[in-house]
């Protein structure tokens, strides 16, 4: 009897020791491991993109916001394996069943089923009540005005990563430091509360763009595309003193809410990515250079040889033959021959120097992705024809932004500009910080030269000039037309049917509110910049000056302000 009792006691003791040992293993040796396992079953850490900051125009009008939408996920640890119900759910929310089947082959415990679904689909998912299927909130980027300013703003991918425009260039500013989202769940995998204390909000951007001006530019570009049946068009409006981009638009365009529905060509920001031969708009470089080097005066008379000149064995002609023209008339009438003769005074080394001074062949440094530098050959690579071709805008490749920046130098008194589209950021504490300060660049032209060139460009838009249709009622315009043949790689020479028409200028000429370039690719019906692009400039400028409350110069000159000292009355005499 005693042995039996002893034997039972030993068994109980051994069992007790085994339990104690197991408890010691669970609570001491492997404590961290099982705590982590328990947490993994109870809490799912989901990487959620930081709530991106908003984007505003220069006057604080919101252009981009965030919408709260649900994202459906599968938690395998709490999923019962009912694939039939899972596939039923997939069909309800328009998820490809075959794709989902492939996902299920993964060993991951956490799988996204569909991200950022509609409220209607959210209700469908919740109605099925499938264990292990949950919905967590995510922010979806929403572009409030659709395609408006899309090439400036850009877009994001499904994970809210910036892919184009300022969304890409300022991705770090907009997203902050990142974070995770903790999803709490019950034994069946159903979420019963969540916390997002680790989430951060990014900084908001304030653009230099004015919504009102951008609307005017976009509307007029649409009209130009329709009228001239053009392949593409670009317009850039720039403050010549600060470098701030007030408006920038391209056609074709796209809706950043659905970027995948458009072609890469429509998403391309032609203002900074596309190069073209600028034609006569490039003549301002030669004109400025010969004046700065004192190799010409405004009253110089240049023999334009009846409209033809031989350079390097090639005959270059004027669109309309001219005899003797003054320096100012060479610019006004856009004489190729006259411009080439002026360039020959400069010589290739000094001509190249001024081309580079104006920023051609170099990136402007604008805060947008994809900018190209264009193509300017160094003098040692010039052919015998180059001294005749380059002054009139051939054998060079520039962007629309480079052209309007060059004319901004004339508009602002001779200083280089640094174009930018972001004014500053609004940080989490609500404080605005300027990040692109409007500071003057290097002075590359004297005021004497700028004044002469400005007067010559004003003559272009007046009677006898090539851009009469750019004339703005009430305010004088300084500008230049450009008409360039497009090079056809298929035939190895310039096309006889495809042209690029452009106009660039600033207004009011003597106290500019803005500089602007309009470029139209492959217009049909007319080809000349003075007929195609100049009217677009005029239409935009007239509406923009009214919007900006810029007074008409003719009204100021025709009205005299009289102040009576005694009666302190003010009267206007016509």
């Amino acid at each position: 009897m005693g042995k039996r009792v002893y034997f039972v006691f030993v068994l109980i003791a051994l069992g007790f020791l085994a339990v104690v040992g197991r408890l010691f293993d669970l609570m001491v040796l492997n404590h961290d491991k099982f705590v982590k396992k328990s947490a993994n079953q109870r809490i799912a850490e989901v990487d959620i993109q930081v709530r991106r900051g908003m984007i505003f125009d220069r006057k604080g009008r919101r252009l981009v916001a965030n919408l709260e939408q649900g994202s459906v996920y599968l938690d395998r640890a709490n999923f019962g394996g009912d694939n039939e119900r899972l596939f039923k759910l997939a069909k309800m929310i328009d998820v490809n069943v075959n794709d989902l089947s492939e996902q299920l082959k993964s060993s991951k415990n956490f799988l996204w089923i569909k991200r950022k679904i509609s409220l209607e689909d959210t209700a469908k998912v919740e109605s099925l009540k499938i264990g292990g299927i949950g919905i967590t909130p995510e922010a979806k980027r929403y572009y409030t005005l659709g395609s408006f300013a899309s090439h400036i703003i850009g877009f994001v991918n499904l994970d809210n990563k910036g892919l184009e425009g300022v969304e890409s260039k300022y991705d770090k500013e907009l997203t902050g430091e990142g974070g995770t989202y903790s999803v709490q769940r019950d034994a069946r995998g159903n979420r019963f509360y969540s916390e997002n204390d680790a989430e951060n909000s990014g900084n908001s951007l304030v653009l230099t763009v004015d919504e009102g001006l951008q609307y005017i530019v976009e509307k007029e570009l649409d009209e130009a595309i329709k009228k001239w049946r053009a392949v593409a068009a670009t317009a850039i409006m720039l403050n010549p003193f600060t470098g701030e981009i007030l408006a920038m638009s391209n056609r074709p365009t796209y809706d950043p809410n659905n970027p995948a529905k458009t072609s890469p060509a429509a998403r391309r920001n032609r203002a900074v990515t596309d190069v073209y031969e600028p034609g006569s708009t490039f003549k301002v470089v030669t004109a400025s250079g010969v004046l700065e080097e004192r190799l010409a005066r405004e009253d110089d008379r240049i023999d334009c040889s009846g409209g033809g000149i031989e350079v390097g064995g090639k005959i270059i002609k004027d669109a309309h033959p001219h005899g003797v023209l003054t320096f100012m008339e060479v610019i006004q009438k856009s004489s190729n021959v006259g411009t080439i003769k002026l360039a020959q005074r400069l010589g290739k080394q000094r001509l190249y120097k001024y081309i580079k001074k104006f920023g051609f062949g170099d990136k402007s440094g604008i805060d947008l992705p994809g900018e190209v530098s264009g193509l300017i050959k160094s003098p040692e690579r010039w052919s015998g024809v180059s001294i005749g071709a380059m002054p009139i805008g051939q054998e060079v490749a520039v962007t629309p932004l480079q052209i309007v920046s060059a004319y901004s130098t004339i508009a602002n008194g001779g200083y280089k500009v640094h174009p930018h589209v972001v004014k500053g950021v609004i940080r989490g504490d609500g404080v605005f910080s300027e990040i692109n300060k409007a500071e003057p660049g290097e002075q590359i032209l004297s005021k004497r030269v700028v004044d002469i060139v400005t007067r010559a460009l004003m003559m272009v838009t007046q009677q006898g000039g090539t851009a009469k249709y750019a004339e703005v009622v009430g305010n004088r315009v300084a500008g230049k037309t450009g008409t360039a043949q497009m090079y056809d790689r298929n035939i190895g020479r310039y096309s006889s049917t495809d042209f690029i028409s452009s106009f660039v200028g600033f207004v009011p000429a003597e106290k500019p509110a803005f500089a602007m370039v309009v470029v139209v690719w492959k217009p049909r019906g007319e080809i000349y910049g003075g007929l195609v692009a100049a009217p677009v400039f005029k239409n935009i400028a007239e509406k923009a000056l009214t919007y900006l409350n810029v007074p008409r110069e003719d009204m100021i000159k025709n009205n005299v302000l009289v102040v009576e000292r005694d009666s302190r009355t003010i009267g206007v005499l016509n």
Side-chain angles (χ1 to χ4, degrees), residues 291-311:
L291 289 171
E292 195 68 57
E293 297 291 332
R294 297 186 181 276
L295 298 172
R297 297 191 309 244
E298 60 182 298
D299 58 353
D300 273 4
R301 297 175 66 81
I302 295 110
D303 183 2
C304 295
S305 307
I309 185 173
E310 183 179 346
V311 182

Side-chain angles (χ1 to χ4, degrees), residues 276-288 309 311-312 314 316 334-344 346-362 373-398 403 407 480 483-484 494:
Y276 67 104
E277 289 190 342
S280 294
T281 57
F282 204 70
K283 291 174 180 175
V284 71
V285 177
T286 297
S288 300
I309 185 173
V311 182
K314 180 180 178 181
I316 300 177
S334 198
S335 170
N336 292 332
V337 176
T339 303
I340 291 169
K341 288 193 171 184
L342 290 171
Q344 289 173 335
L346 268 178
K348 64 180 184 179
Q349 292 294 341
R350 283 186 292 195
L351 176 58
Y352 179 75
K353 179 181 75 171
Y354 281 96
I355 290 173
K356 297 297 287 184
K357 270 180 174 286
F358 272 100
F360 295 109
D362 298 309
S373 60
L375 179 62
I376 302 295
K377 297 184 294 185
S378 56
E380 57 268 20
R381 295 177 56 211
W382 290 17
S383 68
V385 182
S386 297
I387 191 65
M390 294 178 71
I392 61 174
Q394 296 179 357
E395 290 191 15
V396 296
V398 306
I403 284 290
Y407 277 74
K480 190 75 190 71
T483 307
Y494 286 100

Side-chain angles (χ1 to χ4, degrees), residues 495-556:
S495 170
S496 61
T497 58
D498 295 336
F499 291 79
I500 297 174
S501 306
S502 62
F503 182 84
V504 57
F506 46 93
V507 61
E510 294 174 336
K511 192 178 180 181
F514 53 82
M516 181 167 56
V517 64
V518 176
V519 184
V520 181
W521 278 267
K522 295 185 180 181
R524 294 294 179 254
E526 293 287 355
I527 61 170
Y528 293 110
L531 298 175
V532 175
V536 182
F537 181 99
K538 168 192 171 71
N539 293 340
I540 294 173
E542 287 184 343
K543 294 179 177 67
L545 292 172
T546 299
Y547 174 82
L548 294 170
N549 293 317
V550 175
R552 287 175 51 156
E553 292 172 299
D554 59 349
M555 296 296 291
I556 296 174

Side-chain angles (χ1 to χ4, degrees), residues 9-47:
F9 176 77
V10 170
L11 287 177
I12 293 172
L14 289 172
F16 179 76
L17 288 173
V19 171
V20 170
R22 181 58 177 161
L23 289 173
F24 183 78
D25 177 60
L26 293 173
M27 300 176 67
V28 179
L29 298 179
N30 290 298
H31 174 267
D32 292 342
K33 173 184 174 181
F34 287 104
V35 166
K36 185 177 180 180
K37 185 175 182 180
S38 172
N40 287 339
Q41 292 175 338
R42 185 172 52 86
I43 302 172
E45 289 290 333
V46 183
D47 288 330

